[in-house]
Amino acid sequence: MTKRGPLCVLLGAMGLAALMAACSSDDKPAAPPAGTGGASSGGQGGAATGGKGGTGDGGSASGGKGGQNTGGDGLEPPDSGSAGGGSGSGGMDSGTGTGGAPDQDAGDGGPDCTFPRCRPPYPTVPYPDINPDSDKKALLGKILFWEEQIGQIDTMACGTCHRAAAGGSDPRTNQAAAMLPGPNAVHETQPDILSDDLRVAQGTPVCDIDGNITGALQTTGRKPPTYLDAMFASQIFWDGRAGYCKNAEATGGCFYDPDLAAGAPALIVGKPDPNFGTVGGALEAQASGPPANSAEMACAGRTWSAIEAKLATVTPLAKAKSGTIPEEMNTFITQHGSNYPQMFQFVYGSDANTKVNAADPDNVINARRIVFAIATHERRLKSDQTPFDLWNDGKPEHDGAMTADQIAGFTLFMGKARCSTCHPPPLFTDNGFHNIGFHKPAWDTGRDAITSATFDKGKFKTPSLRNVGLREPFGLLHDGDGPGHDLNTIMELYNTGGKRTDTDISPLIDPSMAELNLTAGEIAQIIDFLRNALTDPRVKNETFPFDRPKLGSEP
């Protein structure tokens, strides 16, 4: 696994994802022994060098960075230049210097690592020290994720707005109740790049503290982001509010226990990780928000203590459609008396880290235990069996996992189209925040509303492109419509470098955005790669570990 240099770790901890693209000079590992290079070549750095490019000669004129635009991180193929030179750090697959020649599967059964294949594989999932991995906790979390009775009027679970077959987002955004006019208060007749319309999530109707419905159905302000592959981010949601550190403990990864006083320090504090900048309790923070939110899952005045008390009395998954609960979940429920107190005692027992007070009984249900379980379940949701992941391992038997057009699309993605600047594999997100020049800041100030920093105006979190083809029918980006209507619309705008003629937008556009001059054919190949090669079939078909019960609120 690639080891970030000190500067990169610092930049990641500061949330400066855009600058991390310039970390090549301190981001490369020690050079491998002469003749070892990448995955038995000079191309990728392999297991020995963590995938940053060995010491193969990239053929750049200066020999310093390994070829055209690689910057030492191998984002693009090296120049074939004639000036030769040294031992460039980005050597990739043309390396002929001290890193050795690439292994191109010359009949020896080894991996074929011809550019751009053999990128670093899907990484190991990090867990907070206070919330370690556990099979039984993950299973409890899966049950709680699909539990509609966490919602005050029994119609809203976490899974109501986040479903695997919709790419981890909400399939209900195509319903009329969720297709809203934008700031101009007018429904557009056509969802084009100039539209400000929205496709968002449906929450609860307006209701009082006793659960009596007193008003109309409410909606969220943005389209739900995917919850899949989210365990590597230090801050979650489009604006990064989940995991944001209020008391300057760290720059991300903070989780504040809602059962503690508002001024209490974070229970989990993000800490530097050699691979991902800062990791910590963002998933726990994300899971703690919607259950008590009066527009999403709760009614006015709902508290976590009320949620905890309710769970102690209900039959788990009683609202799910009969006969649809996966066997593993159903067995776990019945083996523990079909009640949550016994399940919580079995999972947590006397663990003092999960109790608010030392005198709490072992079967106590509290917010901490609920969100620890849900976050553990979500950390199991790795969509790492896509056609790209198979093809990327370089094994000859996976040569056909991606089509020729998809391979061409990925090559463009890593090179001319510059997509990997913010969507680097294997996660296909830098987990940073950028203003890509698609939306007027007056429509939604984005990250600025959390940080109160003017340089964050109009910035939104970079979404992972894994399973983006499953999300596309229901809208993309934070608005779900207009510029985020589909991949064609998005690529049209990316190709122009954003709305550069709009004076409200152009001064705020991220410097990494640029006009691409892609042809229609090249755009089609990139979209083919995105729609098809990054879809995990288990996600699409909702098979284990993405299986689920059918919600009672579903048709």
Side-chain angles (χ1 to χ4, degrees):
M1 182 55 58
T2 302
K3 300 296 183 185
R4 297 283 189 194
L7 176 58
C8 255
V9 172
L10 176 62
L11 291 174
M14 294 173 64
L16 301 179
L19 295 179
M20 291 182 70
C23 280
S24 58
S25 60
D26 74 0
D27 196 19
K28 57 180 182 284
T36 59
S40 68
S41 76
Q44 188 66 24
T49 65
K52 279 295 190 187
T55 56
D57 186 341
S60 73
S62 65
K65 287 207 172 181
Q68 173 195 5
N69 253 346
T70 59
D73 59 5
L75 295 182
E76 298 186 25
D79 250 341
S80 59
S82 59
S87 53
S89 63
M92 292 306 297
D93 296 311
S94 64
T96 56
T98 58
D103 179 351
Q104 297 191 4
D105 192 31
D108 61 0
D112 177 357
C113 288
T114 305
F115 180 84
R117 210 167 175 183
C118 299
R119 312 303 305 173
Y122 195 100
T124 301
V125 176
Y127 284 78
D129 294 339
I130 198 174
N131 190 21
D133 192 17
S134 159
D135 289 343
K136 58 187 180 181
K137 185 167 44 176
L139 190 50
L140 173 62
K142 189 173 185 176
I143 293 166
L144 290 167
F145 189 90
W146 296 101
E147 179 57 85
E148 290 170 285
Q149 295 169 106
I150 290 180
Q152 187 161 352
I153 59 174
D154 297 347
T155 61
M156 293 295 295
C158 301
T160 305
C161 298
H162 298 280
R163 305 184 201 173
S169 187
D170 192 342
R172 303 172 304 149
T173 58
N174 281 349
Q175 297 176 8
M179 301 181 73
L180 308 176
N184 69 2
V186 177
H187 259 307
E188 311 294 341
T189 56
Q190 202 66 24
D192 61 23
I193 61 175
L194 300 179
S195 169
D196 65 349
D197 281 4
L198 306 170
R199 274 192 280 181
V200 296
Q202 302 166 58
T204 59
V206 177
C207 47
D208 63 24
I209 190 67
D210 297 317
N212 300 308
I213 296 174
T214 59
L217 181 72
Q218 301 177 93
T219 56
T220 60
R222 299 172 182 143
K223 183 181 185 289
T226 180
Y227 74 114
L228 307 174
D229 307 292
M231 64 288 283
F232 303 101
S234 62
Q235 296 178 60
I236 296 176
F237 290 133
W238 289 109
D239 54 18
R241 65 188 183 276
Y244 185 73
C245 296
K246 298 179 289 187
N247 301 323
E249 299 100 330
T251 57
C254 287
F255 163 63
Y256 300 89
D257 188 336
D259 283 334
L260 300 179
L267 187 64
I268 301 175
V269 176
K271 60 182 182 180
D273 180 273
N275 302 308
F276 306 106
T278 302
V279 297
L283 278 180
E284 287 80 359
Q286 179 272 326
S288 70
N293 186 297
S294 60
E296 297 188 51
M297 297 175 68
C299 296
R302 182 72 159 176
T303 63
W304 264 99
S305 60
I307 296 169
E308 297 156 9
K310 180 180 180 181
L311 281 180
T313 65
V314 301
T315 300
L317 297 183
K319 300 299 179 180
K321 300 282 190 187
S322 177
T324 69
I325 301 174
E327 182 179 356
E328 182 186 33
M329 299 169 71
N330 200 49
T331 299
F332 188 85
I333 291 169
T334 57
Q335 283 180 342
H336 299 98
S338 295
N339 70 80
Y340 278 113
Q342 286 192 34
M343 292 161 62
F344 274 71
Q345 180 165 352
F346 173 73
V347 170
Y348 293 108
S350 60
D351 182 1
N353 288 328
T354 66
K355 294 182 179 182
V356 177
N357 305 296
D360 288 341
D362 289 352
N363 68 353
V364 67
I365 297 174
N366 59 33
R368 187 180 306 184
R369 287 181 162 194
I370 292 169
V371 302
F372 277 14
I374 292 174
T376 302
H377 160 60
E378 291 183 336
R379 288 188 174 97
R380 298 289 186 94
L381 300 179
K382 305 184 298 179
S383 64
D384 58 355
Q385 295 184 22
T386 70
F388 165 79
D389 291 297
L390 292 176
W391 175 85
N392 186 56
D393 69 16
K395 295 178 181 178
E397 60 265 34
H398 294 152
D399 286 351
M402 292 207 301
T403 67
D405 275 341
Q406 290 163 10
I407 294 171
F410 179 55
T411 304
L412 288 162
F413 182 98
M414 298 298 295
K416 180 180 178 181
R418 304 176 69 249
C419 307
S420 61
T421 302
C422 297
H423 296 277
L427 300 179
F428 291 92
T429 174
D430 62 2
N431 283 315
F433 299 86
H434 303 279
N435 186 323
I436 57 176
F438 283 22
H439 305 86
K440 288 182 180 291
W443 295 355
D444 189 334
T445 61
R447 179 78 170 153
D448 171 61
I450 306 303
T451 66
S452 299
T454 55
F455 58 78
D456 280 334
K457 185 175 291 185
K459 288 184 179 180
F460 293 91
K461 190 171 184 295
T462 306
S464 171
L465 296 178
R466 287 182 176 269
N467 306 297
V468 67
L470 299 179
R471 296 194 295 277
E472 185 182 17
F474 312 105
L476 299 167
L477 303 183
H478 67 275
D479 58 353
D481 211 343
H485 183 70
D486 56 22
L487 286 171
N488 290 300
T489 304
I490 288 174
M491 285 303 302
E492 178 184 350
L493 266 177
Y494 270 127
N495 206 29
T496 63
K499 297 179 180 178
R500 295 190 171 273
T501 60
D502 189 315
T503 56
D504 292 333
I505 295 174
S506 57
L508 302 172
I509 295 177
D510 193 288
S512 62
M513 292 288 293
E515 189 172 350
L516 302 176
N517 298 310
L518 296 166
T519 68
E522 289 172 332
I523 289 175
Q525 289 176 324
I526 293 170
I527 291 177
D528 185 9
F529 166 70
L530 296 174
R531 278 184 183 150
N532 301 304
L534 292 181
T535 298
D536 189 320
R538 302 168 303 158
V539 174
K540 180 179 180 179
N541 299 317
E542 294 189 336
T543 57
F544 185 84
F546 308 97
D547 54 334
R548 66 176 182 91
K550 190 171 184 180
L551 299 168
S553 56
E554 290 185 71

